[in-house]
Amino acid sequence: MIFYEFLYTSIGQAIAAYAPNEYFAAITNPIIIGAGLVSFCGVVVPYDALTPFWRYWMYYLDPFTYLVGGLLGEVIWDVKVECEPSELIKFAAPAGQTCGRYMADFISAQTGYLVDSSATQCEFCQYSTGADYAKTFNLREKYYAWRDTGITALFCISSYAMVVIMMKMRSKATKSAKSD
């Protein structure tokens, strides 16, 4: 959580360091962090639902991708999921078949569980563990959470380095720019 604080403040400081005035920085910061980075981290839009153009480069360049992996991966991975009745997918098995028999091939290849495999009115929960959910935002293994925490720390360090670089790049004209 502390890395989250460092990450968003360092990105904001880097934007402010090069912005010509406070007004420009105040408008640019939420656009870059909110609309830009949060939109491509795999949670707002799941990894598999991202357009391939964004999935193969922006997803991996987005520091919030690794922040989310580090925050959630270790916490939810081993949690057993029990769906509430309103969360279950309900359907009828074909005539003469039980839910377990009808869904056997699907369940062997997918995540989730049937509430009662001997019933003919099927109730299916799409996740059986937190790992099933974590895989929707591209955390394929439990150790990815620690890997992502380390990558987030590197993003924090590089973001603060960017603040220093942005301060050095400012010209005398932008350093003395005043807001109206």
Side-chain angles (χ1 to χ4, degrees):
M1 197 60 187
I2 289 176
F3 286 146
Y4 173 65
E5 304 290 333
F6 284 136
L7 187 61
Y8 78 79
T9 56
S10 64
I11 292 169
Q13 288 173 354
I15 292 167
Y18 197 71
N21 55 43
E22 300 88 8
Y23 181 74
F24 182 81
I27 289 176
T28 306
N29 198 17
I31 291 171
I32 289 175
I33 291 177
L37 298 177
V38 173
S39 298
F40 295 103
C41 70
V43 173
V44 176
V45 178
Y47 177 77
D48 291 333
L50 285 171
T51 306
F53 175 77
W54 298 112
R55 184 184 321 150
Y56 297 122
W57 71 278
M58 183 62 176
Y59 175 83
Y60 293 102
L61 290 177
D62 187 348
F64 284 84
T65 296
Y66 304 102
L67 177 70
V68 168
L71 284 172
L72 294 180
E74 187 67 28
V75 175
I76 68 172
W77 192 267
D78 295 319
V79 174
K80 185 179 183 316
V81 173
E82 293 182 23
C83 287
E84 295 290 324
S86 62
E87 298 169 329
L88 295 170
I89 300 167
K90 299 175 183 179
F91 57 94
Q97 290 189 19
T98 64
C99 295
R101 187 168 158 221
Y102 175 63
M103 296 285 292
D105 291 339
F106 179 82
I107 290 179
S108 67
Q110 300 294 322
T111 61
Y113 66 91
L114 283 169
V115 174
D116 183 4
S117 60
S118 62
T120 56
Q121 288 296 328
C122 307
E123 294 179 317
F124 178 74
C125 180
Q126 63 182 341
Y127 305 117
S128 55
T129 66
D132 297 339
Y133 176 68
K135 289 175 183 175
T136 65
F137 52 91
N138 209 28
L139 283 179
R140 301 289 173 216
E141 300 291 335
K142 187 175 183 177
Y143 77 87
Y144 279 26
W146 288 106
R147 176 205 67 178
D148 288 356
T149 300
I151 293 170
T152 302
L154 292 174
F155 268 110
C156 292
I157 293 165
S158 64
S159 294
Y160 278 110
M162 187 62 75
V163 172
V164 173
I165 291 167
M166 292 296 194
M167 291 297 291
K168 298 288 183 190
M169 288 178 56
R170 289 184 67 179
S171 67
K172 290 187 185 236
T174 60
K175 286 180 182 177
S176 63
K178 298 196 184 331
S179 60
D180 293 327

